[in-house]
Amino acid sequence: MEIWYTLTGTIDPKVVNDSIYWINGQLYSHPVKKLLFIISSTGGDIDSSIRLHDYLESLPIEVTTCGFGQVDSAAINVFIAGNNRLCLPTCRFRIHAGSFHLSDKATAIEHIEEAAGFLKEMDRRSNEILAQKTGKTIPEVFQLKKSGLMISGADAVNLKIATQLIDKLPLTQQTSSKPLASNA
């Protein structure tokens, strides 16, 4: 059985928690062999995107991700978790160095140093994810993100972020079992 999940909008802790909860519910109540994870997102929380990436990559089933619209920033961590990574030619990918928002309130220097260490680790892990899936080195990924690119689906295939261009979303109903879908 194949299940479908669609994530649109910003990646944040609630969206990621809801995604994992729904997928787990399907895995434990149906004989699922494949997940088609469809994504269009302008990015969001990098920590949440890494959590969803690690979850999708650790599933004991075939995971195909499919990008449409845009797969920007932190959403690339989620997209690249797929064994197969499909995208439409018109899908936009925005690759850039991580940006982080700090509170405007007065904070002790120790808290700022602790936060900086955490943010550096998230950035390191995000770079590691992209390097592992594309075959690039960490310094190459760092330079790629530093350049702040906006690329097409074809460019994403050339950079090995995506594995295949497709003309239409692969939403065909199976004859042996009815696929399930969810909107996040």
Side-chain angles (χ1 to χ4, degrees):
M1 174 179 184
E2 178 177 346
I3 58 172
W4 305 339
Y5 191 86
T6 301
L7 187 152
T8 60
T10 303
I11 296 172
D12 62 33
K14 181 176 180 350
V15 166
V16 169
N17 290 342
D18 290 348
S19 299
I20 292 170
Y21 181 81
W22 187 87
I23 293 167
N24 271 347
Q26 297 305 307
L27 293 174
Y28 290 110
S29 59
H30 303 289
V32 176
K33 300 231 186 278
K34 294 181 182 182
L35 167 63
L36 175 61
F37 194 97
I38 303 166
I39 184 167
S40 177
S41 172
T42 56
D45 179 54
I46 192 169
D47 193 33
S48 296
S49 75
I50 291 169
R51 184 170 353 108
L52 187 51
H53 169 274
D54 290 347
Y55 169 77
L56 292 172
E57 195 170 65
S58 70
L59 290 175
I61 61 172
E62 181 182 328
V63 175
T64 296
T65 52
C66 183
F68 75 98
Q70 64 272 344
V71 177
D72 293 347
S73 192
I76 292 173
N77 289 333
V78 176
F79 176 80
I80 208 153
N83 308 102
N84 303 304
R85 300 180 302 275
L86 316 175
C87 68
L88 297 170
T90 56
C91 184
R92 176 190 77 207
F93 291 78
R94 183 169 174 239
I95 305 163
H96 64 88
S99 57
F100 306 96
H101 303 279
L102 299 175
S103 170
D104 291 335
K105 297 178 185 178
T107 306
I109 191 79
E110 293 83 13
H111 295 201
I112 293 171
E113 289 170 346
E114 180 182 339
F118 178 71
L119 298 175
K120 285 179 183 178
E121 175 55 25
M122 284 191 302
D123 191 49
R124 183 204 64 76
R125 179 70 176 113
S126 181
N127 289 343
E128 178 183 72
I129 288 167
L130 196 54
Q132 286 173 344
K133 290 290 187 142
T134 62
K136 296 188 181 331
T137 65
I138 297 286
E140 288 172 328
V141 168
F142 179 78
Q143 286 302 315
L144 186 66
K145 286 186 170 186
K146 188 176 173 183
S147 65
L149 300 174
M150 216 178 273
I151 62 173
S152 69
D155 293 331
V157 171
N158 289 336
L159 288 172
K160 297 184 182 172
I161 293 169
T163 57
Q164 182 182 350
L165 280 180
I166 55 172
D167 293 328
K168 301 283 183 191
L169 293 175
L171 300 176
T172 57
Q173 196 142 357
Q174 306 288 314
T175 55
S176 59
S177 62
K178 183 178 180 185
L180 303 172
S182 172
N183 271 333

